[in-house]
Amino acid sequence: EAGVAQSPRYKIIEKRQSVAFWCNPISGHATLYWYQQILGQGPKLLIQFQNNGVVDDSQLPKDRFSAERLKGVDSTLKIQPAKLEDSAVYLCASSPRFSRRSDTQYFGPGTRLTVL
Amino acid sequence: AQSVTQLDSQVPVFEEAPVELRCNYSSSVSVYLFWYVQYPNQGLQLLLKYLSGSTLVKGINGFEAEFNKSQTSFHLRKPSVHISDTAEYFCAVSDRTGFQKLVFGTGTRLLVSP
């Protein structure tokens, strides 16, 4: 089966510009996650969807970050406006069921964002 | 809230040597424990996970980990590493109720040289 797809793979923008990342999870997966991975750190959860509803966005900087999951499938994460500290790899992951704590998450290759 | 500590940021080792990557966690409740591996330019991939039962967990690619509740540790081991094991390894924890929320450590870079 196809894995989690993300695009673009790399993005370079100036600070205060806007940027959007796209994720297509594994077909049929109910739960979708967005993580931010800053260099030298582990991934940090930004937002979690179950189908097209948000179940956890407690660590999403809502003044500049937004995310949606269209029809419970694809998802888009947006940053507007970007700051220097947003430079990171943005990872998308999905899991098959309704987010049981024991589930395996399947990760995409990530989008590397550089803010200049 | 949970936290994970991976004290070794980098572990160099020669091919065919054994290796242990250390992971300690902190939690006031029972947890599930995971090890994920990240190869260069790829996403994270599950190596193994501890849910319950036997404290020795076997995973893919010859890796295993042992859950030690008294020491709150979940160290990853492999008896003989290969060049292809060069990657970043992340330990993660999730509590056992509600929605899954993985908390990751900062990672350990395993460097295998000939």
Side-chain angles (χ1 to χ4, degrees), chain B residues 9-83:
Chain B
S9 60
Q10 190 166 290
V11 173
V13 65
F14 289 109
E15 193 175 20
E16 297 182 7
V19 70
E20 179 179 83
L21 306 183
R22 296 180 295 169
C23 171
N24 288 89
Y25 69 93
S26 174
S27 176
S28 57
V29 299
S30 294
V31 295
Y32 295 130
L33 293 155
F34 305 78
W35 275 99
Y36 280 83
V37 60
Q38 188 174 32
Y39 298 104
N41 297 314
Q42 295 185 30
L44 281 74
Q45 176 185 359
L46 181 72
L47 270 179
L48 48 80
K49 58 183 174 182
Y50 173 75
L51 304 181
S52 64
S54 172
T55 57
L56 184 63
V57 181
K58 293 191 182 298
I60 62 171
N61 301 338
F63 284 94
E64 63 181 30
E66 184 152 22
F67 170 59
N68 188 318
K69 187 175 181 179
S70 63
Q71 298 191 1
T72 60
S73 67
F74 190 53
H75 300 333
L76 181 70
R77 296 192 293 257
K78 187 170 183 178
S80 177
V81 296
H82 303 292
I83 297 286

Side-chain angles (χ1 to χ4, degrees), chain A residues 38-112:
Chain A
I38 293 172
L39 187 65
Q41 299 181 21
K44 183 184 82 171
L45 180 68
L46 292 176
I47 189 167
Q48 178 184 164
F49 293 93
Q50 213 166 75
N51 291 324
N52 59 350
V54 176
V55 297
D56 185 352
D57 63 358
S58 57
Q59 298 190 95
L60 187 73
K62 298 181 187 63
D63 57 333
R64 297 184 300 106
F65 286 64
S66 64
E68 61 180 1
R69 188 177 184 194
L70 304 172
K71 299 180 182 178
V73 182
D74 293 6
S75 178
T76 303
L77 177 69
K78 296 179 182 178
I79 308 175
Q80 181 179 8
K83 293 184 175 181
L84 296 177
E85 59 261 36
D86 298 332
S87 293
V89 176
Y90 291 85
L91 297 166
C92 179
S94 67
S95 60
R97 296 174 292 185
F98 290 117
S99 188
R100 282 171 44 172
R101 294 259 168 171
S102 58
D103 278 354
T104 297
Q105 293 187 22
Y106 297 84
F107 285 80
T111 296
R112 183 177 298 277

